[in-house]
Amino acid sequence: MSIITLGPARMGDAPAIAHLSRDLVEADLPWSWTPRRVAGLMRQRESAAVIARDKNRLAGFILAQYGDESAHIALLGVANEYRRQGIGRRLVQWVEETATSAGLFLVRLEVRAIKREARHFYATLGYREVDRVDGYYSGIEDAIKMSRDLRALSTSK
């Protein structure tokens, strides 16, 4: 059994994150989360990039941005061979805990409308579908906007 560790991503991880995103998240779409774009987000002061590692292998990642009123999950991916091991859940929880520590109690994200498994995953974590945006992904595919109110989490601790 693998021991998966979570930790901050380094700039050198940007190409691996981008390539895994290309295969998992952006399949059949133009590549928008290139290594340059991933690195750009990682350089932003209000952002966080966390990776899940199995020794030296990238098992998953999450990129998030923190604003004045909410956090935004920009990108999440878990390599196929590591799915259903709780890695995605752990990565999302990391963002949620960081958000509540910063006084942010709303987390937002977008997911491809055709990705039913991803939509179900977020729903099991308490995210609800709040809107649909036509052509959000390169004018080709619709997005479902989802959000989660974290106030219940902060009062239960």
Side-chain angles (χ1 to χ4, degrees):
M1 186 168 117
S2 303
I3 297 176
I4 306 298
T5 58
L6 299 187
R10 292 179 228 134
M11 268 316 145
D13 296 318
I17 291 169
H19 284 92
L20 190 55
S21 171
R22 175 76 190 111
D23 294 341
L24 299 174
V25 180
E26 296 185 290
D28 303 321
L29 290 173
W31 193 14
S32 68
W33 282 100
T34 61
R36 182 182 200 146
R37 183 175 178 199
V38 169
L41 186 138
M42 291 171 68
R43 283 188 194 97
Q44 292 177 11
R45 187 178 189 145
E46 303 82 23
S47 69
V50 178
I51 56 173
R53 282 198 189 281
D54 179 5
K55 295 182 181 145
N56 291 324
R57 186 173 174 160
L58 180 65
F61 61 87
I62 194 164
L63 303 178
Q65 298 164 297
Y66 299 91
D68 292 335
E69 298 179 10
S70 65
H72 178 252
I73 295 174
L75 203 55
L76 169 68
V78 175
N80 290 329
E81 60 270 28
Y82 294 99
R83 290 207 175 153
R84 303 207 179 276
Q85 296 180 33
I87 296 168
R89 178 180 303 269
R90 288 174 58 197
L91 290 165
V92 171
Q93 286 173 337
W94 191 94
V95 168
E96 291 174 347
E97 289 170 7
T98 303
T100 56
S101 293
L104 302 173
F105 299 100
L106 184 64
V107 179
R108 302 173 192 264
L109 60 93
E110 298 81 31
V111 63
R112 293 172 67 177
I114 65 166
K115 296 283 190 171
R116 295 199 185 281
E117 189 176 329
R119 290 167 61 185
H120 176 73
F121 165 76
Y122 287 117
T124 62
L125 295 180
Y127 287 79
R128 59 183 186 85
E129 297 185 5
V130 295
D131 198 8
R132 183 182 190 105
V133 181
D134 295 337
Y136 181 86
Y137 295 100
S138 303
I140 298 170
E141 193 173 319
D142 298 350
I144 302 296
K145 290 189 172 222
M146 302 182 81
S147 67
R148 181 170 185 208
D149 186 336
L150 302 175
R151 280 179 280 230
L153 288 178
S154 66
T155 58
S156 65
K157 289 184 178 179

